[in-house]
Amino acid sequence: MSPPTGGRLTTWCGLNNLELNALKTVQMVVDFRKNVAPHAPITVCDSPVKVVESFRFLGSIISQDLKWELNISSITKKAQQRIYFLRQLKKFNLPKTMLVHFYRAIIESILCSSITVWYAASTAKDKGRLQCIICSAEKVIGCNLPSLQDLFTLRNLKRARRIVADPTHPGHKLSTHQIWTHVRSGVETLLP
């Protein structure tokens, strides 16, 4: 049996003026069966596609077991590096408002990167690691900041509002009433 090829994909790319780079293409197999059968290698443009256990897609690391530990470790590392700069700004006696602006733009934006995708499936341990970063920033700045749970809730509410407001969104007709009811609930008090 010959190995599978990306023939249909290659054809589609050609018809749509796209070029598939076989060297940057990877394959990740997600298979939770007890008896996993070996998967035949895929070739694209006569080049074998590398099989990986995790890869970065749109800034988030997706792993073969569909857990978010690698992604959260990456977020934690980036955020901790930026806490250093927040401490340096504090040494220069910047006002709290400037420190909060720096935190929201540079650190919180990293913490919220794809949060609506990974937060619900992450472990309490991983959430705790990220919450520690927020606590560190609170100590440096000297004021309360939104918790990780609050950030997740705010992002979900903003997304729900966009879905409700956009009649062309595929999810608009599915549960507009349910989404709108949730947006109007007491959780909305979190919104600035």
Side-chain angles (χ1 to χ4, degrees), residues 23-57:
L23 299 175
K24 291 184 178 180
T25 304
V26 295
Q27 172 189 6
M28 184 177 74
V29 179
V30 178
D31 191 349
F32 293 109
R33 294 181 292 181
K34 288 182 181 178
N35 300 321
V36 179
H39 298 277
I42 296 175
T43 59
V44 173
C45 303
D46 297 325
S47 296
V49 175
K50 181 180 176 184
V51 178
V52 296
E53 292 184 8
S54 65
F55 70 98
R56 186 177 294 272
F57 182 71

Side-chain angles (χ1 to χ4, degrees), residues 86-121:
L86 183 65
R87 288 188 177 109
Q88 294 304 311
L89 292 174
K90 175 74 173 181
K91 287 180 183 177
F92 291 118
N93 296 322
L94 262 65
K96 279 186 185 181
T97 55
M98 292 295 291
L99 295 174
V100 170
H101 286 305
F102 179 85
Y103 166 80
R104 298 221 47 217
I106 306 300
I107 300 169
E108 186 179 289
S109 63
I110 292 168
L111 296 174
C112 293
S113 174
S114 302
I115 193 170
T116 57
V117 175
W118 56 259
Y119 183 83

